[in-house]
Amino acid sequence: MGPAQLPSPLHNFGSRPGVAGAVIAGSAVTGTFGTPAFPQLRRRPTTTAITTVSITLLGAGRLPGGTGGMVVRVLGGMLAGGTGAGLVAPDLNLLLSELAPDGRHGRVLSGLVTAVFLGQFLSPPALQRLVRGTGLAVAFTWTRGAPAAGAVRPWPVSPPA
């Protein structure tokens, strides 16, 4: 939802158009901070803990995008969310490759990538009713808070025997 709809609330905060581009680019850049940290994180906590932390960062870090207020707060939230995205990408890839049966790794991982891009593409029409009914700020809050809420109760994941 961020790249497609973030420029509108930033404009409402009085930001110039370049600020939206900087925030979206900043989110992508911070993903590069989370990704290199993954190998060190993978050595210590469980996969479930890493998934929980990364999805929580992804959702809660982007929550300020819908809460209004200063651009700095929105920027900080998007940057934290980018770090979560940088952690969740290798985490989910590794988790799915460990769980995939032999000979199915390519299919399983391509399904993950398909889901990510399809979700980005379908986000505007899928969330149109929510945005119209609640307003863009509330829609941002709900869509950013949902991953964090889902990550609160970790699910057990173990590779098949």
Side-chain angles (χ1 to χ4, degrees):
M1 188 173 171
Q5 308 223 15
L6 186 64
S8 182
L10 287 174
H11 174 74
N12 293 341
F13 299 158
S15 300
R16 293 181 303 209
V19 172
V23 169
I24 293 167
S27 179
V29 167
T30 57
T32 64
F33 301 142
T35 304
F38 181 76
Q40 277 67 27
L41 288 175
R42 177 75 169 153
R43 292 183 194 148
R44 294 191 183 137
T46 64
T47 301
T48 302
I50 295 170
T51 304
T52 301
V53 168
S54 58
I55 291 176
T56 299
L57 271 173
L58 183 61
R62 293 184 176 183
L63 189 61
T67 60
M70 301 181 314
V71 172
V72 173
R73 203 169 75 185
V74 173
L75 178 62
M78 291 296 288
L79 295 177
T83 302
L87 287 171
V88 82
D91 180 50
L92 291 181
N93 275 287
L94 184 59
L95 177 64
L96 289 176
S97 66
E98 288 173 346
L99 293 173
D102 289 338
R104 298 288 200 154
H105 292 95
R107 177 174 272 187
V108 169
L109 294 177
S110 67
L112 173 63
V113 174
T114 300
V116 168
F117 287 120
L118 195 57
Q120 290 173 357
F121 175 75
L122 293 175
S123 170
L127 296 171
Q128 186 176 33
R129 192 174 263 179
L130 176 65
V131 171
R132 284 187 181 161
T134 64
L136 190 56
V138 173
F140 258 104
T141 301
W142 278 97
T143 59
R144 298 303 184 218
V152 169
R153 183 169 176 227
W155 58 94
V157 177
S158 56

